[in-house]
Amino acid sequence: MRFGFTEDQQRFRADVRRTLRSAEVRAAAAEATGTDGVEPDARPLYRLLGKLGLLAVHWPVEFGGEGRPLTDAAIVAEELVRAGVPDTFHVNTIQIVGQFLLMAGSDEQKRRYLPALARGESFASVLYTEPDAGSDLAALRAVAEPDGDGYRITGTKVFSLKTRFVDLALCTARTTPGTGKYQGISLFLVDMGASGVTVSVIPGIGDEHFHRVDLDSVPVSGDDLLGPRDEGWPLLNEALAIERTGLDYHLKAEHWLEAALDALIDHTPDSPHDDRVEQIGRWYGALTADHVLVWEALTGLASGRVNQVSTAVAKYHSSELAQSIAAWAADIPSPEQRANRTRAALTLDSAYREAPGLTLSAGTSEVMLQIMAAAFDSIGQEDH
């Protein structure tokens, strides 16, 4: 269990923080931040971050990184969010797709894709969820049919973020239908500019838009099969565990609580807010505990341990906490702050609309509870 940072980690954090305070980064971050359902193109900001070497510090040097520990990448992720950098591109491109490529990709795939991702010249997303499948990823119906040395993928994926801006997608499809719910599934790297790919926006209330991706006999090279054919389900479970450290949800909870405090101080600076002080203290206590859970999951991954239970605990706690803070803070901005469109008011309005989705993405809270319950049940059986 980690309760503090080493001197090297503290020095590294200070260096990253100084870099992100530059006028150039701050201006680019402001341009990339969306409000009122308007989603700007954040790629120029990420190209700048790539030039500064801040996107994939833990990747090997040969693949565009600096060879630092995974925990240093988490420090960068924390400081990016605290500097006002919208995090979805980083989460999807670096923390999910890029990290999965490091874990399961061939050397050729790593050389082909990772350097451009690390430089902010290419972006990635995931195509897992399908219509009517809910959170059951094994209910997928997309099919990858053999075509010469490659495949053609046909199906529909929904609820991916930033998809109209990305170049590459990690996609699930059935390569051998009829072999069982969890069998015959494979993972592919799909060129989002390929023929047969159609991306459309799904209407929603968030500042970031969900997308529908229709795949109509999309050609995929055999070299873009990720891992062994028909053995995608175990790999997918590992990929999901990588997503479930809870770091991005924790940072949202932290950001939203700070915005709530800014709003309180701004519209009644002389009021002690006695009616809210106790709850504010409880939120900070919960955030501190959440940070420990998140870093327990992160340090496990950094040591090469993919612990499904610890990541489920971290994901569950952080997403539920973020949603609770957003709901509590929704009525804090005053009518004047809303009319003046202050930063705090806009942030909290956006948080209220985004927060419900946090307990659904990367696995619903119910799925996380099932993972925990199954683990505790197996421990109980062993004790008997």
Side-chain angles (χ1 to χ4, degrees):
M1 183 69 71
R2 184 209 63 81
F3 290 103
F5 293 97
T6 66
E7 290 185 4
D8 181 65
Q9 288 173 326
Q10 291 172 337
R11 283 193 296 269
F12 179 66
R13 184 185 295 276
D15 290 341
V16 171
R17 192 170 291 175
R18 277 193 295 271
T19 301
L20 293 175
R21 284 175 179 164
S22 73
E24 186 178 18
V25 171
R26 292 169 68 179
E31 288 290 327
T33 302
T35 57
D36 295 339
V38 177
E39 185 177 28
D41 185 355
R43 287 177 294 183
L45 166 63
Y46 274 83
R47 294 186 188 105
L48 172 59
L49 295 173
K51 290 179 182 179
L52 295 172
L54 288 178
L55 293 182
V57 298
H58 63 303
W59 291 1
V61 174
E62 63 181 307
F63 300 137
E66 298 180 11
R68 300 189 70 92
L70 177 63
T71 46
D72 281 1
I75 288 172
V76 171
E78 289 184 344
E79 294 307 318
L80 288 174
V81 173
R82 290 166 183 167
V85 173
D87 69 342
T88 304
F89 270 140
H90 193 262
V91 171
N92 287 347
T93 300
I94 305 298
Q95 298 178 34
I96 298 177
V97 178
Q99 189 64 32
F100 189 68
L101 263 169
L102 281 177
M103 179 182 74
S106 66
D107 287 342
E108 189 276 332
Q109 288 170 337
K110 294 174 186 177
R111 287 192 297 270
R112 182 152 41 111
Y113 291 114
L114 291 180
L117 298 180
R119 292 192 299 267
E121 296 173 358
S122 182
F123 300 88
S125 187
V126 294
L127 300 179
Y128 294 161
T129 306
E130 297 189 2
D132 303 321
S135 60
D136 185 4
L137 296 186
L140 67 92
R141 292 179 291 183
V143 176
E145 297 179 330
D147 180 42
D149 294 332
Y151 300 84
R152 286 189 175 272
I153 300 178
T154 299
T156 298
K157 303 292 183 175
V158 291
F159 300 130
S160 56
L161 292 171
K162 300 295 184 188
T163 316
R164 63 194 175 100
F165 297 116
V166 305
D167 313 282
L168 182 70
L170 178 58
C171 179
T172 55
R174 291 197 179 275
T175 37
T176 307
T179 56
K181 185 174 182 178
Y182 302 103
Q183 286 76 46
I185 295 173
S186 298
L187 294 168
F188 294 91
L189 296 167
V190 175
D191 177 2
M192 293 299 288
S195 62
V197 177
T198 303
V199 180
S200 55
V201 173
I202 299 174
I205 61 174
D207 288 333
E208 288 188 308
H209 301 152
F210 287 115
H211 296 88
R212 173 189 174 107
V213 180
D214 290 297
L215 306 167
D216 183 10
S217 193
V218 176
V220 180
S221 165
D223 293 334
D224 285 324
L225 173 65
L226 194 57
R229 173 179 166 150
D230 290 343
E231 297 182 21
W233 184 251
L235 289 175
L236 185 59
N237 278 312
E238 289 195 37
L240 289 170
I242 291 172
E243 289 187 48
R244 293 169 179 165
T245 64
L247 179 61
D248 47 338
Y249 306 109
H250 170 84
L251 292 170
K252 289 179 187 297
E254 179 185 80
H255 178 56
W256 295 343
L257 182 57
E258 291 297 327
L261 297 184
D262 288 344
L264 285 170
I265 293 170
D266 180 53
H267 73 74
T268 49
D270 299 324
S271 171
H273 301 292
D274 291 338
D275 58 330
R276 302 185 192 265
V277 167
E278 179 182 352
Q279 184 56 63
I280 291 169
R282 290 183 181 276
W283 289 139
Y284 273 109
L287 277 170
T288 300
D290 193 57
H291 199 240
V292 172
L293 291 173
V294 166
W295 274 83
E296 179 72 4
L298 286 166
T299 51
L301 290 175
S303 301
R305 303 189 310 273
V306 180
N307 188 316
Q308 301 279 353
V309 178
S310 69
T311 55
V313 170
K315 195 277 172 181
Y316 174 81
H317 190 273
S318 59
S319 61
E320 291 285 339
L321 177 60
Q323 186 180 52
S324 297
I325 289 175
W328 169 79
D331 64 347
I332 286 179
S334 67
E336 292 77 16
Q337 288 174 323
R338 295 188 186 280
N340 293 331
R341 299 173 57 80
T342 66
R343 180 180 295 274
L346 291 173
T347 296
L348 295 177
D349 177 64
S350 177
Y352 186 73
R353 290 181 279 114
E354 178 184 1
L358 303 186
T359 60
L360 302 176
S361 61
T364 65
S365 289
E366 289 75 14
V367 170
M368 300 303 101
L369 291 171
Q370 288 173 359
I371 293 172
M372 289 181 256
F376 293 138
D377 182 59
S378 65
I379 292 173
Q381 292 177 359
E382 291 174 2
D383 289 342
H384 287 84

